[in-house]
Amino acid sequence: MGFFKDFKDDLSDAVDELIPGSEEDGDGAAAPAVALTPETLEADINVEDELSKLDGLLEKASANIDNDAGNKQAEAESGSSEAAPVEAPNKPHPVETTDKETVMDTTTNDNTATEPVETNVKEQSKPPVFETQPASDENAVITSGMKITGDLESTGSIEVEGTIRGNVRCNGKLTVTGLIEGNSTASEFFADSARVQGEIITSGTVKIGVGSIVIGNISATSAVIAGAVKGDIDVQGPVVVDTSAVVMGNIKSRSVQINNGAVIEGFCSQAYAEVDVNSVFG
């Protein structure tokens, strides 16, 4: 700092005035030292003047210190005021797509936003397929002379030769040669010269043999129709309509095979086919 150098110079000048013998004369040679005695000190040195000089030097030094401190504070305040404000990150806002699904539009710190992706969900109705549990080795037989009123359920397979007025459910194969008045649910269904009044739901194949009459809807993964069916047939896989078949209802499947001589009164739709029909005419 510059004020320390000034303070040193002023202090040196004060010492020189206190000790006049140390000053050089006009020729450059040092003047002879004067003997300092009590008489000379009292005559030549004014103590009050010297003390006032020292007080002035101290006031000057304190003023310089205050000025330097004020300059530093001003620089610090100017530096803080020039700092750039920090922008708060943008919050994501919801964007509604065409299929009524909500997707978040996220924005990064560098103000680059990702565009929402529109997704069109195509809902395709599927037949209610019965999911069966593993079937046991049991095989229940309802003989031709038996009549059961009420629901029947088994973990194995059931052969119905008699009459059941109620719903039938089994994990295995359901074979009907008699009469069922109720809904049937099984892993496989086979009717041979039988009569069924009710809905048939399987997780496998449905076979309606010659001489069988079914009044109700059929839902399965594949079907072979050789008898008479009055109801809609909804199958995820192939459907074979044999020569002796009579169908009064709509058929919806992946593929349909209609043999010569079959009678169908209804609409056939390959709704489960892998071919996109709209793209062909698009």
Side-chain angles (χ1 to χ4, degrees):
M1 296 181 182
F3 69 89
F4 287 109
K5 183 178 180 182
D6 296 338
F7 178 72
K8 182 178 178 182
D9 294 339
D10 294 338
L11 184 59
S12 299
D13 294 339
V15 173
D16 292 338
E17 291 177 1
L18 290 174
I19 307 174
S22 62
E23 296 180 353
E24 295 180 355
D25 55 7
D27 297 335
V34 178
L36 297 177
T37 61
E39 291 78 4
T40 58
L41 291 174
E42 292 177 0
D44 298 333
I45 300 174
N46 191 345
V47 177
E48 294 181 358
D49 293 339
E50 299 302 330
L51 290 176
S52 63
K53 291 180 179 181
L54 292 176
D55 293 337
L57 293 175
L58 293 175
E59 292 177 358
K60 184 178 180 180
S62 62
N64 291 332
I65 291 173
D66 294 337
N67 292 332
D68 290 342
N71 293 333
K72 288 185 177 180
Q73 184 176 2
E75 291 177 358
E77 292 178 355
S78 62
S80 61
S81 62
E82 292 177 357
V86 179
E87 295 181 356
N90 296 329
K91 294 182 179 180
H93 55 277
V95 178
E96 190 173 272
T97 58
T98 56
D99 58 348
K100 304 302 180 182
E101 293 182 354
T102 301
V103 181
M104 298 306 294
D105 183 13
T106 56
T107 305
T108 57
N109 291 330
D110 55 353
N111 297 328
T112 58
T114 57
E115 297 181 355
V117 179
E118 296 183 357
T119 57
N120 295 325
V121 179
K122 181 181 179 181
E123 295 182 357
Q124 186 176 12
S125 60
K126 293 183 179 180
V129 178
F130 170 62
E131 296 181 358
T132 60
Q133 300 295 328
S136 63
D137 296 334
E138 296 178 356
N139 187 17
V141 178
I142 308 301
T143 60
S144 58
M146 295 180 63
K147 294 181 180 180
I148 298 176
T149 302
D151 297 340
L152 183 62
E153 185 174 352
S154 174
T155 58
S157 300
I158 299 177
E159 295 181 9
V160 180
E161 299 175 0
T163 302
I164 298 177
R165 288 181 172 87
N167 299 325
V168 180
R169 180 188 181 100
C170 66
N171 295 341
K173 182 179 180 180
L174 179 59
T175 303
V176 182
T177 57
L179 172 64
I180 295 179
E181 294 180 355
N183 298 329
S184 300
T185 304
S187 61
E188 291 184 65
F189 186 92
F190 177 69
D192 184 14
S193 299
R195 183 177 181 88
V196 178
Q197 296 181 3
E199 186 176 5
I200 299 174
I201 301 174
T202 71
S203 60
T205 303
V206 171
K207 294 181 181 180
I208 308 300
V210 179
S212 298
I213 298 174
V214 176
I215 301 175
N217 300 328
I218 297 176
S219 299
T221 56
S222 61
V224 177
I225 310 298
V229 176
K230 186 178 182 180
D232 295 335
I233 299 174
D234 194 348
V235 177
Q236 295 182 12
V239 174
V240 177
V241 182
D242 206 356
T243 303
S244 59
V246 176
V247 177
M248 294 182 63
N250 301 325
I251 299 176
K252 183 166 64 174
S253 64
R254 187 176 63 184
S255 63
V256 180
Q257 177 182 338
I258 301 174
N259 294 336
N260 188 18
V263 178
I264 299 176
E265 187 175 336
F267 298 97
C268 294
S269 173
Q270 294 179 255
Y272 305 123
E274 297 179 355
V275 178
D276 188 2
V277 180
N278 293 326
S279 64
V280 176
F281 300 99

